Amino acid sequence: MSDQSYYEMVYYVTQQIPKGRISTYGAIADYLSLGSARMVGWALTQANRSSIGHVPAHRVVNRKGELSGRVHFGTPTRMQELLESEGVIVVKDKVKSFKGLFWHPEEMDK
DNA sequence: TCTTTGACGTACA
DNA sequence: GTGTACGCCAAAG
């Protein structure tokens, strides 16, 4: 894990997010000790652009639970539809019950 | 090499 | 709750 580049680890962690659950840039950044949540967003941007791996980036939102990166999904509603398709309710570009659906990377180790 | 930008977050008024 | 400021670090021009 540590041998991989920071973005590779971001991809891995993101792929571990269970269906119907969501996480945040800050949580992932803190778990990987990146020092900045922006690194997570950057990595996911590259992943989406280059289509490196099937990374469920729609399960990653900002601290407020907003779908801040929806514009990078081709259409502004793509991210929301993907989330609702997994059972996540999205209202006004924000995740409903975000706090309850929150998934921490620490659970992945268990 | 320097400057700007960005899917963020925290602090403060 | 809203707006401003700053830190954070990597990539692009």
mmCIF file of all heavy atoms in Angstrom, chain A residues 38 41 44-45 63 72, chain B residues 5-10:
data_model
loop_
_atom_site.group_PDB
_atom_site.id
_atom_site.type_symbol
_atom_site.label_atom_id
_atom_site.label_comp_id
_atom_site.label_asym_id
_atom_site.label_seq_id
_atom_site.Cartn_x
_atom_site.Cartn_y
_atom_site.Cartn_z
ATOM 1 N N ARG A 38 -7.417 18.096 -0.912
ATOM 2 C CA ARG A 38 -7.384 18.421 -2.346
ATOM 3 C C ARG A 38 -6.711 17.327 -3.148
ATOM 4 O O ARG A 38 -7.031 17.107 -4.293
ATOM 5 C CB ARG A 38 -6.621 19.727 -2.565
ATOM 6 C CG ARG A 38 -7.456 20.890 -2.160
ATOM 7 C CD ARG A 38 -6.872 22.164 -2.722
ATOM 8 N NE ARG A 38 -7.803 23.241 -2.466
ATOM 9 C CZ ARG A 38 -7.459 24.508 -2.374
ATOM 10 N NH1 ARG A 38 -6.203 24.827 -2.474
ATOM 11 N NH2 ARG A 38 -8.351 25.405 -2.187
ATOM 12 N N GLY A 41 -9.279 14.855 -4.274
ATOM 13 C CA GLY A 41 -10.061 15.348 -5.397
ATOM 14 C C GLY A 41 -9.262 15.315 -6.684
ATOM 15 O O GLY A 41 -9.769 14.967 -7.743
ATOM 16 N N LEU A 44 -8.973 11.743 -7.978
ATOM 17 C CA LEU A 44 -10.235 11.273 -8.552
ATOM 18 C C LEU A 44 -10.518 11.958 -9.882
ATOM 19 O O LEU A 44 -11.093 11.358 -10.779
ATOM 20 C CB LEU A 44 -11.377 11.544 -7.575
ATOM 21 C CG LEU A 44 -11.329 10.655 -6.321
ATOM 22 C CD1 LEU A 44 -12.464 11.023 -5.393
ATOM 23 C CD2 LEU A 44 -11.404 9.187 -6.704
ATOM 24 N N THR A 45 -10.100 13.204 -10.004
ATOM 25 C CA THR A 45 -10.284 13.913 -11.272
ATOM 26 C C THR A 45 -9.507 13.204 -12.371
ATOM 27 O O THR A 45 -10.016 12.960 -13.451
ATOM 28 C CB THR A 45 -9.786 15.362 -11.160
ATOM 29 O OG1 THR A 45 -10.580 16.037 -10.172
ATOM 30 C CG2 THR A 45 -9.926 16.088 -12.485
ATOM 31 N N ARG A 63 -17.168 17.683 2.825
ATOM 32 C CA ARG A 63 -17.495 17.642 4.243
ATOM 33 C C ARG A 63 -18.980 17.914 4.511
ATOM 34 O O ARG A 63 -19.549 17.427 5.451
ATOM 35 C CB ARG A 63 -16.614 18.677 4.962
ATOM 36 C CG ARG A 63 -16.591 18.484 6.458
ATOM 37 C CD ARG A 63 -16.003 17.123 6.862
ATOM 38 N NE ARG A 63 -15.853 17.021 8.299
ATOM 39 C CZ ARG A 63 -16.196 15.955 9.003
ATOM 40 N NH1 ARG A 63 -16.763 14.936 8.421
ATOM 41 N NH2 ARG A 63 -15.954 15.907 10.289
ATOM 42 N N HIS A 72 -17.853 16.830 -13.113
ATOM 43 C CA HIS A 72 -16.834 16.016 -13.781
ATOM 44 C C HIS A 72 -17.380 14.686 -14.281
ATOM 45 O O HIS A 72 -16.630 13.804 -14.657
ATOM 46 C CB HIS A 72 -15.665 15.753 -12.829
ATOM 47 C CG HIS A 72 -14.915 17.007 -12.528
ATOM 48 N ND1 HIS A 72 -13.875 17.475 -13.304
ATOM 49 C CD2 HIS A 72 -15.090 17.920 -11.554
ATOM 50 C CE1 HIS A 72 -13.437 18.620 -12.804
ATOM 51 N NE2 HIS A 72 -14.145 18.908 -11.746
ATOM 52 P P DT B 5 -6.024 31.607 -11.856
ATOM 53 O OP1 DT B 5 -6.891 32.104 -12.960
ATOM 54 O OP2 DT B 5 -6.038 32.261 -10.535
ATOM 55 O "O5'" DT B 5 -6.346 30.060 -11.665
ATOM 56 C "C5'" DT B 5 -6.037 29.150 -12.724
ATOM 57 C "C4'" DT B 5 -6.226 27.730 -12.241
ATOM 58 O "O4'" DT B 5 -5.104 27.311 -11.439
ATOM 59 C "C3'" DT B 5 -7.489 27.486 -11.390
ATOM 60 O "O3'" DT B 5 -8.211 26.393 -11.918
ATOM 61 C "C2'" DT B 5 -6.942 27.161 -10.013
ATOM 62 C "C1'" DT B 5 -5.589 26.561 -10.354
ATOM 63 N N1 DT B 5 -4.578 26.605 -9.285
ATOM 64 C C2 DT B 5 -3.851 25.478 -9.026
ATOM 65 O O2 DT B 5 -4.003 24.435 -9.637
ATOM 66 N N3 DT B 5 -2.914 25.593 -8.033
ATOM 67 C C4 DT B 5 -2.659 26.715 -7.280
ATOM 68 O O4 DT B 5 -1.792 26.686 -6.427
ATOM 69 C C5 DT B 5 -3.469 27.876 -7.599
ATOM 70 C C7 DT B 5 -3.281 29.143 -6.826
ATOM 71 C C6 DT B 5 -4.372 27.763 -8.569
ATOM 72 P P DG B 6 -9.781 26.337 -11.711
ATOM 73 O OP1 DG B 6 -10.415 25.979 -12.983
ATOM 74 O OP2 DG B 6 -10.263 27.485 -10.949
ATOM 75 O "O5'" DG B 6 -9.863 25.051 -10.744
ATOM 76 C "C5'" DG B 6 -9.430 23.786 -11.215
ATOM 77 C "C4'" DG B 6 -9.277 22.842 -10.046
ATOM 78 O "O4'" DG B 6 -8.082 23.198 -9.320
ATOM 79 C "C3'" DG B 6 -10.448 22.924 -9.042
ATOM 80 O "O3'" DG B 6 -11.033 21.638 -8.848
ATOM 81 C "C2'" DG B 6 -9.817 23.436 -7.777
ATOM 82 C "C1'" DG B 6 -8.349 23.073 -7.948
ATOM 83 N N9 DG B 6 -7.431 23.939 -7.218
ATOM 84 C C8 DG B 6 -7.567 25.280 -6.988
ATOM 85 N N7 DG B 6 -6.606 25.785 -6.272
ATOM 86 C C5 DG B 6 -5.779 24.701 -6.011
ATOM 87 C C6 DG B 6 -4.577 24.625 -5.270
ATOM 88 O O6 DG B 6 -3.984 25.539 -4.679
ATOM 89 N N1 DG B 6 -4.054 23.345 -5.245
ATOM 90 C C2 DG B 6 -4.623 22.276 -5.855
ATOM 91 N N2 DG B 6 -3.977 21.118 -5.726
ATOM 92 N N3 DG B 6 -5.749 22.326 -6.554
ATOM 93 C C4 DG B 6 -6.273 23.563 -6.587
ATOM 94 P P DA B 7 -12.497 21.571 -9.441
ATOM 95 O OP1 DA B 7 -12.620 21.138 -10.835
ATOM 96 O OP2 DA B 7 -13.039 22.865 -9.038
ATOM 97 O "O5'" DA B 7 -13.047 20.373 -8.570
ATOM 98 C "C5'" DA B 7 -14.364 20.390 -8.011
ATOM 99 C "C4'" DA B 7 -14.469 19.292 -6.990
ATOM 100 O "O4'" DA B 7 -14.612 18.024 -7.662
ATOM 101 C "C3'" DA B 7 -13.281 19.157 -6.049
ATOM 102 O "O3'" DA B 7 -13.763 19.118 -4.724
ATOM 103 C "C2'" DA B 7 -12.657 17.838 -6.437
ATOM 104 C "C1'" DA B 7 -13.882 17.055 -6.909
ATOM 105 N N9 DA B 7 -13.609 15.927 -7.785
ATOM 106 C C8 DA B 7 -12.480 15.658 -8.500
ATOM 107 N N7 DA B 7 -12.517 14.571 -9.199
ATOM 108 C C5 DA B 7 -13.779 14.059 -8.922
ATOM 109 C C6 DA B 7 -14.449 12.904 -9.348
ATOM 110 N N6 DA B 7 -13.943 12.011 -10.183
ATOM 111 N N1 DA B 7 -15.677 12.676 -8.882
ATOM 112 C C2 DA B 7 -16.208 13.565 -8.047
ATOM 113 N N3 DA B 7 -15.679 14.698 -7.570
ATOM 114 C C4 DA B 7 -14.455 14.887 -8.060
ATOM 115 P P DC B 8 -13.825 20.427 -3.900
ATOM 116 O OP1 DC B 8 -15.113 20.532 -3.224
ATOM 117 O OP2 DC B 8 -13.305 21.544 -4.678
ATOM 118 O "O5'" DC B 8 -12.742 20.080 -2.788
ATOM 119 C "C5'" DC B 8 -12.482 18.758 -2.408
ATOM 120 C "C4'" DC B 8 -11.987 18.724 -0.963
ATOM 121 O "O4'" DC B 8 -10.946 19.701 -0.835
ATOM 122 C "C3'" DC B 8 -13.048 19.086 0.072
ATOM 123 O "O3'" DC B 8 -12.886 18.253 1.208
ATOM 124 C "C2'" DC B 8 -12.749 20.528 0.414
ATOM 125 C "C1'" DC B 8 -11.256 20.571 0.245
ATOM 126 N N1 DC B 8 -10.768 21.929 -0.098
ATOM 127 C C2 DC B 8 -9.799 22.524 0.709
ATOM 128 O O2 DC B 8 -9.359 21.914 1.681
ATOM 129 N N3 DC B 8 -9.380 23.771 0.409
ATOM 130 C C4 DC B 8 -9.874 24.411 -0.649
ATOM 131 N N4 DC B 8 -9.429 25.634 -0.902
ATOM 132 C C5 DC B 8 -10.846 23.817 -1.497
ATOM 133 C C6 DC B 8 -11.262 22.591 -1.192
ATOM 134 P P DG B 9 -13.827 18.420 2.469
ATOM 135 O OP1 DG B 9 -13.977 17.103 3.088
ATOM 136 O OP2 DG B 9 -15.010 19.198 2.070
ATOM 137 O "O5'" DG B 9 -12.922 19.313 3.445
ATOM 138 C "C5'" DG B 9 -11.624 18.862 3.792
ATOM 139 C "C4'" DG B 9 -11.064 19.666 4.949
ATOM 140 O "O4'" DG B 9 -10.558 20.927 4.460
ATOM 141 C "C3'" DG B 9 -12.113 20.001 6.013
ATOM 142 O "O3'" DG B 9 -11.549 19.841 7.305
ATOM 143 C "C2'" DG B 9 -12.472 21.446 5.734
ATOM 144 C "C1'" DG B 9 -11.188 21.999 5.135
ATOM 145 N N9 DG B 9 -11.403 23.075 4.158
ATOM 146 C C8 DG B 9 -12.358 23.145 3.174
ATOM 147 N N7 DG B 9 -12.284 24.235 2.442
ATOM 148 C C5 DG B 9 -11.215 24.924 2.979
ATOM 149 C C6 DG B 9 -10.644 26.173 2.610
ATOM 150 O O6 DG B 9 -10.987 26.941 1.702
ATOM 151 N N1 DG B 9 -9.578 26.511 3.422
ATOM 152 C C2 DG B 9 -9.102 25.746 4.460
ATOM 153 N N2 DG B 9 -8.071 26.235 5.132
ATOM 154 N N3 DG B 9 -9.621 24.574 4.814
ATOM 155 C C4 DG B 9 -10.670 24.220 4.034
ATOM 156 P P DT B 10 -12.452 20.062 8.634
ATOM 157 O OP1 DT B 10 -12.283 18.837 9.443
ATOM 158 O OP2 DT B 10 -13.813 20.509 8.235
ATOM 159 O "O5'" DT B 10 -11.757 21.282 9.392
ATOM 160 C "C5'" DT B 10 -10.323 21.364 9.422
ATOM 161 C "C4'" DT B 10 -9.910 22.782 9.771
ATOM 162 O "O4'" DT B 10 -10.107 23.637 8.636
ATOM 163 C "C3'" DT B 10 -10.742 23.355 10.928
ATOM 164 O "O3'" DT B 10 -9.855 23.839 11.932
ATOM 165 C "C2'" DT B 10 -11.539 24.476 10.269
ATOM 166 C "C1'" DT B 10 -10.704 24.841 9.075
ATOM 167 N N1 DT B 10 -11.445 25.408 7.923
ATOM 168 C C2 DT B 10 -10.993 26.595 7.351
ATOM 169 O O2 DT B 10 -10.003 27.192 7.750
ATOM 170 N N3 DT B 10 -11.728 27.065 6.298
ATOM 171 C C4 DT B 10 -12.854 26.485 5.764
ATOM 172 O O4 DT B 10 -13.428 27.014 4.806
ATOM 173 C C5 DT B 10 -13.278 25.260 6.409
ATOM 174 C C7 DT B 10 -14.503 24.557 5.901
ATOM 175 C C6 DT B 10 -12.558 24.786 7.439
#
